[in-house]
Amino acid sequence: MDTNYLETFVKTLDCGSISDAARYLGITPGAVSARIRALEEELGQPLIRRSGHTVRPTEHGLLICDKARQMIQDSRDMTAMVKSGNVLGELRLGSFFSGLTTHLPRLLEKTYEHHPDVSIFVSYAPSVELCHQVHSGTLDIALAIEPQFAIYKNCSWLKIQDEPLTLIVPPQYATANTATNAHDLLRASPFIRYARSSYSGQLVDRYLKDNRIVPNQRLEIDSLLTIASLVARGVGVALVPDSFSLESLGKSIHKVPLPGRTQIRKIGMIWSNQSPRVTISKSIAMYARNLFN
């Protein structure tokens, strides 16, 4: 049984649609459908049910899903063991979306300084989903935004960074750095809103409501780096977590401090204490704390 086909099937269920799975895997939707059909023919049972643009597992698809995940990981572990001689196999590390280009490169660089032979598979998902995957054993460790629910008993959490909210503006908007000016800019300038469907967007929304600010909203999007890039191009101003990733934009944006205390986004590492790779997971969490604290 081709594990590539199994991975395509599992990713389609995770994404909830063939087109989203295709984008994640870097292949065409037709190729995704063909792989799933081949798997269904081999097993002699339908595995997914289409409903508009979404897909759901059939009874047989649900039956094999967990086993398929295990087979995929076993295959990766065997490959890692043969190539590196490491009996622990492949470390499975997850990251929230913006962390892929901000925190993760520096964290992986530090990890390989100390563990040059470790094999790592990286996946990305919303932070809530990452926490669920660590809890279920799909991931060993993940870089995530702190969830709003209690950390699972079989997992550990280590905070590595606090990110208070800050107002980012194009340099020409920053006429003064006073608290009053920050609120005036929020009320008067075109506003790029962090999507309210995300936890970060909910922090922004809470700050605006607490301070009775109704912004002149121009657009809403769930991507910190895209928002910062739009601000740098003069499209508007934005209220975002003060991530060190903003420093990469240099003088193309300007940060205006907000008055008093603001909502804080907490970034951390969550890992499974039941993983056979728990020792290296703990080490990676410590590297992250030293890098970003």
Side-chain angles (χ1 to χ4, degrees), residues 15-33:
C15 292
S17 81
I18 287 175
S19 58
D20 287 349
R23 280 192 289 271
Y24 184 94
L25 295 168
I27 58 179
T28 65
V32 171
S33 297

Side-chain angles (χ1 to χ4, degrees), residues 269-288:
M269 305 294 300
I270 181 171
W271 66 92
S272 169
N273 292 312
Q274 297 175 343
S275 165
R277 291 163 282 271
V278 64
T279 300
I280 189 172
S281 293
K282 288 181 179 179
S283 296
I284 291 173
M286 295 303 163
Y287 302 151

Side-chain angles (χ1 to χ4, degrees), residues 175-188:
T175 56
N177 238 356
T178 65
T180 302
N181 182 255
H183 282 186
D184 286 346
L185 285 171
L186 277 169
R187 290 188 174 96

Side-chain angles (χ1 to χ4, degrees), residues 248-267:
S248 64
L249 294 168
K251 296 181 179 179
S252 60
I253 64 169
H254 185 85
K255 290 191 286 189
V256 180
L258 298 167
R261 299 178 62 184
T262 76
Q263 281 73 15
I264 294 176
R265 184 172 80 164
K266 298 178 180 180
I267 308 297

